[in-house]
Amino acid sequence: HLLRVTHASSASAQPVGCIQLTEAEAATLRGMPVMINSNKGVFVFPPTPGTNILKVARHGYGYATAETVDDGHTPPRVLSCPRRDANNARHSYMPEDAQEGLRDGLRDMVPEFAERPWSRLRLCWYSDTPEGDFIVDHHPQAEGLFLATGGSGHGFKFLPVLGRYIVDCLENKAPESLRHKWRMRPESDASEIKIGDGSRGGPPLRTLTASEQSKL
């Protein structure tokens, strides 16, 4: 049974590309910081030690899919989501405009490698919420179900400290202001929906065509 949460959280795919550098090429970038072009949403990491992989990605509004989901318990719905029955990471498909967006960002930050062939491409999936805040709350209808989700592209970096706040919310010890910010909003709150948290850049959300989606 799939919960109805699309009013509170929806999935978007963000482009990630990798370029293989030689040891000598990687050495020229070894001291660089992580760089981001906030207007375009593109960020690039220094080459990974040992593999010399240059990784570039975009923290933007991303891509949506239109998957018809029938779980046998609710009427079929059309959702944006990764494939339910396959490993999306095994595929290297990326829309052409996403590839060009990454290269455009590379031209700004490391232009000497902007036209190099990709060694790997993938789409990284976000669980987006209206303002980019986490959802850490009891589900309003499903008794006994507690949710901790809605990373909105920020979840991983908070892992070292997030657990204690999740427990505080679970045990109803968190401040009311935090519990409200991280609430599981009811469907009646749809009018409150805003567009992100101000950290994203690049083009607006685009739904993949049927042809593009078939390649995922």
Side-chain angles (χ1 to χ4, degrees):
H1 180 71
L2 295 179
L3 298 173
R4 290 184 174 273
V5 297
T6 52
H7 62 283
S9 180
S10 59
S12 68
Q14 309 289 336
V16 180
C18 295
I19 295 174
Q20 180 66 63
L21 303 183
T22 66
E23 183 67 35
E25 290 170 336
T28 67
L29 302 178
R30 196 64 76 195
M32 71 174 256
V34 176
M35 297 187 291
I36 183 169
N37 182 321
S38 297
N39 290 329
K40 298 177 180 178
V42 177
F43 59 100
V44 60
F45 294 91
T48 304
T51 64
N52 302 318
I53 295 291
L54 184 69
K55 180 179 176 182
V56 58
R58 185 166 66 199
H59 179 63
Y61 300 98
Y63 297 88
T65 61
E67 288 275 356
T68 300
V69 176
D70 184 358
D71 61 8
H73 297 278
T74 59
R77 290 172 283 162
V78 177
L79 307 175
S80 176
C81 62
R83 288 189 179 277
R84 294 181 60 202
D85 303 315
N87 184 347
N88 289 262
R90 293 176 181 169
H91 299 271
S92 294
Y93 174 72
M94 182 183 291
E96 291 294 331
D97 59 336
Q99 294 186 46
E100 178 54 31
L102 294 182
R103 292 198 184 280
D104 186 44
L106 286 171
R107 293 182 192 111
D108 293 333
M109 293 178 280
V110 282
E112 63 270 36
F113 301 118
E115 311 307 325
R116 295 286 289 273
W118 302 113
S119 61
R120 187 184 183 197
L121 293 170
R122 68 171 297 179
L123 294 174
C124 175
W125 285 88
Y126 283 9
S127 176
D128 287 330
T129 60
E131 290 89 12
D133 295 319
F134 299 123
I135 297 173
V136 183
D137 197 4
H138 297 274
H139 191 276
Q141 282 87 41
E143 184 178 356
L145 177 62
F146 187 83
L147 302 173
T149 186
S152 301
H154 300 299
F156 183 80
K157 66 187 177 187
F158 283 105
L159 282 178
V161 298
L162 191 58
R164 72 189 72 171
Y165 299 104
I166 292 175
V167 172
D168 283 349
C169 291
L170 175 64
E171 297 179 345
N172 294 321
K173 296 178 181 178
E176 180 59 33
S177 59
L178 183 62
R179 292 171 63 187
H180 178 76
K181 179 182 284 288
W182 288 357
R183 73 195 183 284
M184 171 62 187
R185 62 181 70 223
E187 293 188 53
S188 60
D189 275 7
S191 61
E192 296 183 20
I193 290 180
K194 301 174 184 177
I195 302 176
D197 58 3
S199 69
R200 304 193 188 194
L205 179 72
R206 178 170 79 78
T207 299
L208 297 177
T209 66
S211 175
E212 290 173 325
Q213 192 169 317
S214 70
K215 300 173 185 177
L216 295 177

